[in-house]
Amino acid sequence: GLDLGEYNVQEEDAKIPSFKAINNSDVAKKVKICITPYNELGCPGEEMCYEIVVHPSAKISNLKDVSFCDNTTAKINPFQSSISGVTYEWSVKSGDWSAIGLPSESGSGHMPTFTAKNSTSSPITVTIEVVANSSLCKGSVGEFKITVYPLPKYDIASQSPTTGNGTDGWIE
């Protein structure tokens, strides 16, 4: 709940002090604010009440680091929130997005499926930042990593193969 307490203001043009409304739940919450004027004798006037609605901030609930091998389909799980009507904006926070085959550096909605790429000999990691927004409130910011591993490479020796006893032989 939200408790603003009681305020005794002696001015004719009195205002309710500003406050920060926080809603950590998953549903909108209503707050009722009532104002009762008093005259110089202490007699109460007509009470006036109004409600404000405090909407929850969008939260992202399933961001997890993911790994793929070179030349495989990279499908990122759709972003999720515990409240409805959430939209998502994502962008590359760090790393070479084009080196892993990601088709763009940023986007709206869920991330596209792409063919993971890594033509190097070491893993490539890109950090993605995701912002969740509801219709009325900017929500939480989260991040996760996409790592693409290269395929293993091997070198075939230029020498002829030998048998176990050290003499030349053939592999069939």
Side-chain angles (χ1 to χ4, degrees):
L2 176 65
D3 183 6
L4 296 177
E6 291 186 25
Y7 291 92
N8 184 0
V9 181
Q10 300 294 326
E11 304 165 15
E12 284 188 30
D13 198 22
K15 294 181 172 88
I16 295 174
S18 64
F19 60 92
K20 183 176 184 177
I22 298 172
N23 180 352
N24 290 321
S25 76
D26 293 333
V27 295
K29 299 285 187 175
K30 290 182 182 179
V31 176
K32 186 176 184 179
I33 297 175
C34 295
I35 301 167
T36 305
Y38 291 86
N39 67 14
E40 62 275 356
L41 297 175
C43 301
E46 184 178 339
E47 182 179 75
M48 179 184 79
C49 296
Y50 61 94
E51 288 184 344
I52 61 170
V53 178
V54 181
H55 294 275
S57 295
K59 299 172 192 81
I60 308 168
S61 59
N62 68 326
L63 295 181
K64 292 186 170 104
D65 294 348
V66 292
S67 299
F68 303 99
C69 291
D70 178 40
N71 205 33
T72 60
T73 300
K75 182 171 174 39
I76 308 298
N77 287 330
F79 307 130
Q80 295 177 350
S81 179
S82 57
I83 64 173
S84 62
V86 174
T87 60
Y88 303 96
E89 296 172 28
W90 59 270
S91 62
V92 174
K93 184 175 179 182
S94 65
D96 185 355
W97 58 275
S98 61
I100 66 166
L102 192 60
S104 62
E105 189 173 14
S106 62
S108 295
H110 301 294
M111 291 192 68
T113 298
F114 62 97
T115 301
K117 297 290 180 194
N118 184 345
S119 59
T120 72
S121 60
S122 299
I124 300 172
T125 300
V126 172
T127 302
I128 305 293
E129 183 175 83
V130 182
V131 179
N133 296 302
S134 65
S135 60
L136 299 171
C137 303
K138 182 174 181 174
S140 63
V141 176
E143 64 181 49
F144 69 100
K145 294 178 181 3
I146 300 172
T147 301
V148 179
Y149 288 88
L151 294 178
K153 295 188 178 9
Y154 56 89
D155 288 330
I156 296 178
S158 59
Q159 300 174 354
S160 299
T162 61
T163 60
N165 62 9
T167 61
D168 287 341
W170 297 98
I171 298 176
E172 294 184 26

